[in-house]
Amino acid sequence: MAQPSASTRLAQEQSKHLQKSLGRFDILLLVVAAVISVEVLGQVSGFGGETFTWTLILAVTFMVPYGLIFAETGGAFTEEGGVYVWTKMAFGRVVAAITSLFTWVTQPVWVGGAMAFVAVETWSEYVGHVEAGSVGDYVFKLVFIWITVTSAIVSLKHGKWLPSLGAILKVAFLTFFIIVTLVYGLQHGFNGLDLGFFSPTLAGFLGVTPLLLFSFLGFESGNSAAGEMKNPAKDVPISVARSSMIAAASYLLPILAILLVVPLDQITGIGGLFGAVATVYSVFGPAAEAMLAVSAVVFCFVLVSQGAAWMIISDRMQAMAAADGSFFGGYFGRFHPKLGTPIRVNTLSGVVATVFMLAAMQLSGTSSALFGVVLAIAISTFLLSYLFAIPAAVRLRSKYPLVERPFKVPVSDAGFRILGAICFVWILIGSWVAIFPGTLDMLFGLEYDFEAIWGVPQFTFEAFALGTLGCILALGIVGYIRGNKVRDGVASTDVSHDGGSHDGGSHDAGALLPRS
């Protein structure tokens, strides 16, 4: 009988097609392109001054322990597939299949159901008008989606340049915005902010936590392409550390800048960031309109590159899950022999993104309301995956104590579990609030006008959210059942690093999915 942690023959075969093309700087840019979500800056800033406070709190109490955990794990376990492999090693293939599916499906849902909407709204407002619901609207969103897919289909050697350039432009755009904001403030003054403006509240905590967690997660995502890295053991921990610092600054400073120049009642999910940009660009006088158009084009390119980065990363993880018998009968587990990319999963991501875009277009409500609803769906699927991924990373520390760790968090196993528990509690709270917004508010006696906040009735929201999660779980169940024949073909096993057995047999932790 097949051992649940052993790699399949198909996974062994497909690993031979992987092409090592990612150096340390490439990994950093890929993660920065994926993780720093500039499109949520407006949405998160809508909670006012306490947004900055909660961002700072989460940066210290969540990002630091989370980054440490995955810097160690990512440097120690460097097989293609990342989180899927780690979760399988810790808890077996079934849990890994669920984790991988939730991580992967977040990206096409987010690209098709939210990022494409932000891009077309920004383009329409500052570059050229696009009528909502028109043929042009649909075409714009379709082109947006399939550019991200195409970048993931071409070889990583060439495809990595889109997210790399996007990462550079993203940091440059945010830096330029902050500098111009300072100039504007010196000329016109800033909003009258005081310490009371930044005071945290329970309502703000419940509202902003899912958004911030969604923004801070993903620094370990580059490990999905670890088999294509030149030196993942050394490069991953350094990339996690550097990208997390860049991310913290890229959220804290622009959020503060938005709050300094845009009245709270004018901040919306889609227009918040560019509302601030339009305000501060007045310092350019007659050139302001042209500067806004250029910035909007750059912003849309940044969004495309961000979607491309996630497609590149998450599609590889799901392809390795398929090759390992966790997602249908191996059809989606094949990498192109020349390109070294999982074209079939790439195409599936494009189809899912397109379907979700079409579904979101049918919801009644304003563009801002649609953005908020789809954002909540993407947040829920992404956070749910970490309810498994974080415990898996913690368990690998004690389950494989003899695996070489180029970077090891200087704490005991008990201390490592405490770090994991802190992160897990944050994720648990964020997941519940994302799926059932308002329930904790009402539990604590806070007022919560659902339709006023979300722009759609609560029944519509929950039907869309729970319906999406139900469809994903159904897809996962069917996919796992259909992968049975692939799981029957298990590769040879070796003695584990710790000399013991796990999941019914003795396997080498580094051989669960083969190195290229």
Side-chain angles (χ1 to χ4, degrees):
M1 181 177 177
Q3 301 293 350
S5 284
S7 177
T8 66
R9 295 190 186 94
L10 180 60
Q12 294 275 16
E13 294 168 0
Q14 296 308 304
S15 69
K16 298 175 183 177
H17 302 314
L18 302 179
Q19 303 170 7
K20 291 189 176 295
S21 57
L22 292 177
R24 181 176 296 177
F25 193 55
D26 297 321
I27 300 169
L28 174 64
L29 292 178
L30 185 63
V31 174
V32 168
V35 175
I36 300 176
S37 303
V38 292
E39 73 280 7
V40 304
L41 287 173
Q43 188 83 3
V44 75
S45 299
F47 289 90
E50 63 181 306
T51 297
F52 182 84
T53 305
W54 286 118
T55 303
L56 186 60
I57 291 173
L58 260 77
V60 175
T61 64
F62 176 78
M63 181 184 284
V64 171
Y66 158 75
L68 289 172
I69 289 170
F70 283 104
E72 175 177 316
T73 305
F77 302 94
T78 57
E79 292 74 37
E80 185 87 357
V83 168
Y84 170 78
V85 179
W86 305 339
T87 312
K88 187 181 74 167
M89 293 170 65
F91 302 122
R93 188 177 273 111
V94 174
V95 176
I98 297 172
T99 306
S100 175
L101 182 61
F102 273 120
T103 303
W104 164 72
V105 81
T106 298
Q107 311 321 324
V109 165
W110 181 229
V111 169
M115 293 178 69
F117 284 72
V118 178
V120 74
E121 186 85 2
T122 304
W123 187 279
S124 180
E125 181 71 22
Y126 300 103
V127 182
H129 180 68
V130 179
E131 186 68 29
S134 66
V135 173
D137 188 14
Y138 279 92
V139 171
F140 188 103
K141 290 168 182 171
L142 286 171
V143 170
F144 181 95
I145 290 168
W146 287 96
I147 288 177
T148 68
V149 173
T150 302
S151 67
I153 288 177
V154 300
S155 67
L156 190 57
K157 180 180 179 180
H158 300 291
K160 69 182 181 182
W161 292 110
L162 177 60
S164 295
L165 178 59
I168 293 171
L169 287 176
K170 182 184 297 186
V171 174
F173 169 76
L174 292 175
T175 302
F176 184 71
F177 166 60
I178 293 168
I179 292 173
V180 176
T181 300
L182 290 174
V183 174
Y184 175 88
L186 293 175
Q187 292 182 0
H188 302 282
F190 298 105
N191 288 337
L193 306 182
D194 53 36
L195 291 179
F197 182 73
F198 294 98
S199 298
T201 66
L202 178 59
F205 164 74
L206 295 174
V208 80
T209 294
L211 286 163
L212 291 177
L213 290 174
F214 181 76
S215 302
F216 283 157
L217 289 168
F219 295 110
E220 80 296 334
S221 59
N223 270 82
S224 295
E228 297 158 88
M229 296 177 183
K230 296 175 182 177
N231 191 353
K234 292 185 177 180
D235 293 344
V236 167
I238 294 174
S239 298
V240 170
R242 291 176 177 173
S243 59
S244 61
M245 288 187 289
I246 293 173
S250 297
Y251 288 124
L252 284 166
L253 298 179
I255 286 172
L256 182 59
I258 291 173
L259 294 171
L260 287 173
V261 299
V262 181
L264 183 59
D265 59 359
Q266 295 180 20
I267 298 176
T268 64
I270 289 183
L273 174 60
F274 261 82
V277 172
T279 299
V280 301
Y281 273 22
S282 63
V283 302
F284 295 113
E289 187 174 345
M291 290 292 294
L292 271 172
V294 171
S295 295
V297 172
V298 170
F299 182 73
C300 290
F301 180 83
V302 165
L303 293 180
V304 170
S305 69
Q306 184 173 323
W310 274 117
M311 291 291 189
I312 289 171
I313 290 168
S314 62
D315 285 359
R316 279 165 165 74
M317 177 189 60
Q318 192 63 13
M320 291 310 296
D324 198 49
S326 291
F327 189 66
F328 291 93
Y331 177 82
F332 294 109
R334 297 187 180 277
F335 286 69
H336 192 278
K338 292 184 178 180
L339 299 177
T341 56
I343 293 179
R344 293 174 179 177
V345 175
N346 297 147
T347 304
L348 178 62
S349 290
V351 171
V352 172
T354 300
V355 169
F356 212 85
M357 180 272 288
L358 295 174
M361 290 284 285
Q362 307 314 308
L363 288 175
S364 60
T366 65
S367 296
S368 181
L370 294 179
F371 175 76
V373 172
V374 176
L375 174 58
I377 303 298
I379 288 173
S380 66
T381 55
F382 202 42
L383 295 191
L384 286 172
S385 70
Y386 282 89
L387 291 179
F388 302 108
I390 289 174
V394 171
R395 192 178 187 202
L396 292 179
R397 162 73 89 97
S398 56
K399 191 170 184 179
Y400 300 101
L402 300 184
V403 170
E404 182 182 355
R405 289 167 168 78
F407 167 75
K408 187 173 183 179
V409 183
V411 296
S412 64
D413 287 357
F416 201 71
R417 285 192 290 271
I418 291 173
L419 294 178
I422 293 171
C423 295
F424 185 85
V425 170
W426 274 116
I427 296 294
L428 189 62
I429 295 172
S431 300
W432 181 270
V433 174
I435 301 171
F436 304 107
T439 54
L440 292 182
D441 298 75
M442 291 183 285
L443 179 65
F444 289 108
L446 302 175
E447 291 186 6
Y448 196 89
D449 188 336
F450 197 98
E451 192 159 354
I453 293 172
W454 291 96
V456 297
Q458 185 172 5
F459 178 80
T460 301
F461 178 95
E462 294 299 351
F464 196 52
L466 296 178
T468 300
L469 294 177
C471 289
I472 294 171
L473 286 174
L475 177 67
I477 292 170
V478 174
Y480 191 82
I481 293 173
R482 292 292 300 275
N484 184 59
K485 290 184 179 180
V486 178
R487 294 193 297 274
D488 286 342
V490 174
S492 60
T493 60
D494 299 304
V495 177
S496 65
H497 283 284
D498 57 5
S501 62
H502 52 87
D503 292 324
S506 297
H507 311 296
D508 182 80
L512 298 179
L513 279 182
R515 304 175 194 275
S516 58

